[in-house]
Amino acid sequence: MSLLGHVQSPRDVRALSEDELPRLCAELRQEIISICGRVGGHLGASLGAVELVVALHRVFHAPEDDLVFDVGHQAYAHKLLTGRGSRMETLRQEGGVAPFLDPRESPFDAFPAGHACTAVSVALGMALARTRTGAPGRAVAIVGDGALTGGLTFEGLNDAGASGLPLVVVLNDNGMSISANVGAVPRMLGGSSARAFFESLGFTYLGPVPGHVLGELVPALAEARRSRRPVLVHVRTEKGRGLAEAEADVATRGHAMGPYEMRDGKLVRSRHGQPTWSDAVAEALGRAMERDPRVVVVTPAMLEGSSLTGLAARFGPRVHDAGIAEQHAVTLAAGLAARGLRPVVCIYSTFLQRALDQVIHDVVLPGLPVTFAIDRAGLVGADGATHQGTYDLAFLRPLPGMRLYSPTVSDDLDPVLDTALARARASGVPVPAGDPAHHAGGNSRRGRSGDRRPLAPPDRRRPGGHRLPRSAGAFRAGGSVGAGHPDCGPRCQGARPARRPRRARGLCHGPCRHGGGGDHPRGAGERGARGRRGARPVAPRPHARASRCARDARRCADAAPRARPVAGRNRHRGARPALGDAVSARALR
């Protein structure tokens, strides 16, 4: 029987002889390759961290010692050594092993980890709690060098270095995030100034240590465990180590490969990649960048994830990778917009949560024209609870001036982007994960991915190729959106609603409180004059109290052009300015 089959907990790792550890590492690496071949997963980082994980469990005594992994991409070996080996084939499946770390799944998972840069702050909090409560054990943060491109890690290092607490930070330096790291910090780590940098922050610096040589790795971690002050152990590893195809992948070193199978010693993908919404957005962005030299793209370490590598090759510095730094990426885009450019921030919905303050304070309040291409909106499935894109509508819709466009099919992306880039305020374009052909019913948050709606026939298209809408969606009364057409009237910008919203049940006079008379309708689907749904339309009639109407007449007349019917929940939008507009792309077709 294999050594791995005998290991059910870290105690079994500590019971092995030193001579058996290399064999255990080889079996772990082979098991990770086999599992990812069957169900997919984050392969590259876990292959590179095998010896590091074995050494950590050899030196530290989890769960008494807290091993806090940053993100969890590097933790598949940790899962295999902590009693989950028999269930690893359920990885990233409903009811199966979590794709990242989850304390509800195992007591050896000290903290849930799905977003980068959190480990140092969490481990410092645990070390401080141990000091206050007198609990035994040590706190260890295992961070990748990619996390050093994010501000939260430096906030934690700044606080930890000054604390004097016995915190161990293990820096797993493989030179990559998903793709190669960017910025000045990677150059610092690769040079001779790393020791001076971390020592200036108050850490004892150990390293750099070869990350695949257990004979050097275990003693370095043991020395860190004995220290009574903050220690940083700098470990150099190779992402994708042990799988030739991953090592040959210059772009990501096998970051997320699979499912696949080995045939005659060669890796063969079990299914070929299908076009995704990310691909469609990138293609539409490329066309927009060709038309308008002001359009630039900013992304927080998502060149690969958002399919931007082709754009980066074509447009060079007009595609800017800001590193794992969502807050910086959004505020950087605000600075670009403030000087006349049209930035598009390509970002996953789950990561946009991390930059909400910057969206509000640096983009929306100054009224800057920043467009957010929000990838993986709605339910994303396999990456688990930490990566669902289910909150963007809730936190973006209330923002003043923010308008959201939800494409129904990939053909909507060109008019949607044209409209968003032409606006003088912020816009968002949320798109779901997966193949656009399987989401023809719209964004995945709206439900059935198989609800296919055929494209409009040619006779329903406007000049220029934009399709007429099948429903008005939500729009500004008297206005329109899109790119202008000669037959649509002077205010058209491309794709007016096909029909006006049905007249209100009862008429609105702007801010007037009386509900009857006037010259503009309430919003589509508004409650009837008697305050209930389904009330029959009433004919216009004069106000009952002419004196009060005379007092309100000026306000009512001024408010009429600002009426904004909104589909969905019934609202009286003429009475106060709108806080945000959600526009269906079906109104753009």
Side-chain angles (χ1 to χ4, degrees):
M1 187 175 182
S2 66
L3 278 178
L4 184 57
H6 287 292
V7 175
Q8 298 299 317
S9 75
R11 181 174 298 177
D12 298 326
V13 177
R14 294 191 291 273
L16 296 175
S17 67
E18 292 185 7
D19 293 338
E20 292 176 308
L21 295 181
R23 179 183 164 193
L24 175 64
C25 292
E27 292 181 8
L28 280 168
R29 190 166 274 116
Q30 192 57 46
E31 184 66 11
I32 292 170
I33 293 172
S34 176
I35 290 167
C36 291
R38 291 191 292 271
V39 299
H42 292 99
L43 175 67
S46 285
L47 288 179
V50 167
E51 286 84 2
L52 175 57
V53 170
V54 169
L56 284 167
H57 283 300
R58 182 82 170 178
V59 173
F60 294 95
H61 296 186
E64 181 179 296
D65 293 328
D66 291 316
L67 300 183
V68 183
F69 287 88
D70 201 67
V71 178
H73 288 161
Q74 54 194 324
Y76 286 2
H78 166 77
K79 290 176 179 284
L80 288 166
L81 295 176
T82 52
R84 287 168 274 186
S86 62
R87 299 182 58 238
M88 283 296 285
E89 290 190 6
T90 66
L91 182 70
R92 296 161 59 86
Q93 300 173 40
E94 183 178 5
V97 174
F100 298 110
L101 300 177
D102 189 345
R104 295 170 297 183
E105 180 178 279
S106 171
F108 295 100
D109 294 355
F111 195 81
H115 291 179
C117 308
T118 62
V120 176
S121 298
V122 170
L124 176 60
M126 292 176 172
L128 182 60
R130 292 180 187 280
T131 301
R132 298 287 175 85
T133 62
R138 304 296 298 274
V140 184
I142 303 100
V143 303
D145 54 320
L148 292 184
T149 64
L152 179 57
T153 297
F154 283 99
E155 294 171 25
L157 290 172
N158 174 63
D159 198 3
S163 71
L165 295 175
L167 172 70
V168 178
V169 176
V170 178
L171 175 58
N172 178 13
D173 180 3
N174 61 24
M176 306 191 77
S177 298
I178 292 178
S179 49
N181 284 326
V182 298
V185 172
R187 294 198 300 269
M188 179 269 293
L189 293 177
S192 58
S193 57
R195 177 182 297 275
F197 175 77
F198 289 111
E199 288 181 346
S200 69
L201 290 176
F203 284 83
T204 298
Y205 176 84
L206 302 177
V209 180
H212 303 293
V213 181
L214 288 167
E216 297 189 41
L217 194 53
V218 170
L221 292 175
E223 182 179 348
R225 191 175 194 275
R226 290 191 296 268
S227 177
R228 306 311 302 171
R229 62 189 310 275
V231 179
L232 185 135
V233 184
H234 186 181
V235 180
R236 285 190 175 148
T237 62
E238 299 174 15
K239 188 177 181 181
R241 184 182 176 90
L243 181 63
E245 288 77 7
E247 294 176 356
D249 177 13
V250 177
T252 69
R253 299 278 293 189
H255 178 76
M257 299 178 68
Y260 53 80
E261 58 182 314
M262 304 301 295
R263 296 179 186 171
D264 299 326
K266 296 182 179 180
L267 182 145
V268 179
R269 300 270 182 166
S270 296
R271 62 170 181 260
H272 296 288
Q274 299 295 324
T276 65
W277 275 102
S278 302
D279 299 329
V281 170
E283 291 172 4
L285 275 175
R287 292 187 287 270
M289 295 172 78
E290 290 173 351
R291 292 191 298 269
D292 188 346
R294 299 176 302 161
V295 178
V296 294
V297 173
V298 178
T299 186
M302 283 289 125
L303 283 176
E304 292 288 338
S306 293
S307 301
L308 300 175
T309 52
L311 288 185
R314 288 172 57 194
F315 296 101
R318 290 176 66 187
V319 179
H320 184 79
D321 185 353
I324 305 178
E326 294 85 0
Q327 296 173 322
H328 164 60
V330 171
T331 303
L332 172 69
L336 293 169
R339 289 298 174 263
L341 297 184
R342 286 293 185 267
V344 179
V345 179
C346 293
I347 187 170
Y348 285 14
S349 174
T350 183
F351 299 142
L352 184 60
Q353 298 165 193
R354 314 186 81 185
L356 178 57
D357 177 69
Q358 285 67 37
V359 173
I360 297 172
H361 184 270
D362 301 333
V363 175
V364 170
L365 292 184
L368 293 172
V370 176
T371 299
F372 296 91
I374 306 170
D375 205 348
R376 270 60 163 191
L379 300 177
V380 299
D383 278 342
T386 61
H387 280 56
Q388 303 305 313
T390 51
Y391 303 111
D392 47 45
L393 290 181
F395 64 72
L396 291 177
R397 281 201 64 186
L399 303 185
M402 172 69 75
R403 176 169 283 190
L404 302 177
Y405 302 91
S406 183
T408 305
V409 292
S410 58
D411 288 351
D412 292 329
L413 286 169
D414 282 300
V416 159
L417 282 175
D418 288 346
T419 302
L421 291 169
R423 295 191 72 225
R425 304 294 294 272
S427 303
V429 184
V431 297
D435 181 357
H438 294 163
H439 293 278
N443 197 310
S444 62
R445 75 186 76 218
R446 296 199 177 103
R448 303 185 301 275
S449 61
D451 180 15
R452 295 173 178 268
R453 301 180 184 182
L455 300 179
D459 59 353
R460 295 192 66 219
R461 295 176 182 254
R462 291 189 184 279
H466 295 166
R467 294 182 300 280
L468 286 169
R470 284 184 293 273
S471 64
F475 58 92
R476 294 179 184 273
S480 54
V481 290
H485 296 110
D487 63 332
C488 298
R491 298 193 64 181
C492 175
Q493 296 177 8
R496 294 182 306 185
R499 55 183 174 82
R500 300 182 67 85
R502 55 181 181 156
R503 295 189 65 83
R505 297 160 175 106
L507 297 176
C508 173
H509 227 342
C512 179
R513 299 182 294 273
H514 307 111
D519 56 3
H520 63 280
R522 284 186 183 178
E526 187 65 60
R527 291 180 182 271
R530 284 179 276 180
R532 60 184 177 87
R533 297 179 187 273
R536 300 177 64 182
V538 296
R541 60 181 178 81
H543 284 315
R545 300 182 180 180
S547 60
R548 295 180 65 181
C549 288
R551 184 183 65 192
D552 289 338
R554 184 178 181 83
R555 287 193 303 163
C556 292
D558 290 342
R562 295 197 297 271
R564 298 177 184 175
V566 175
R569 297 180 68 87
N570 301 324
R571 296 181 184 179
H572 184 324
R573 299 300 288 274
R576 52 178 177 264
L579 296 179
D581 300 308
V583 179
S584 168
R586 285 179 291 175
L588 302 178
R589 297 217 302 260

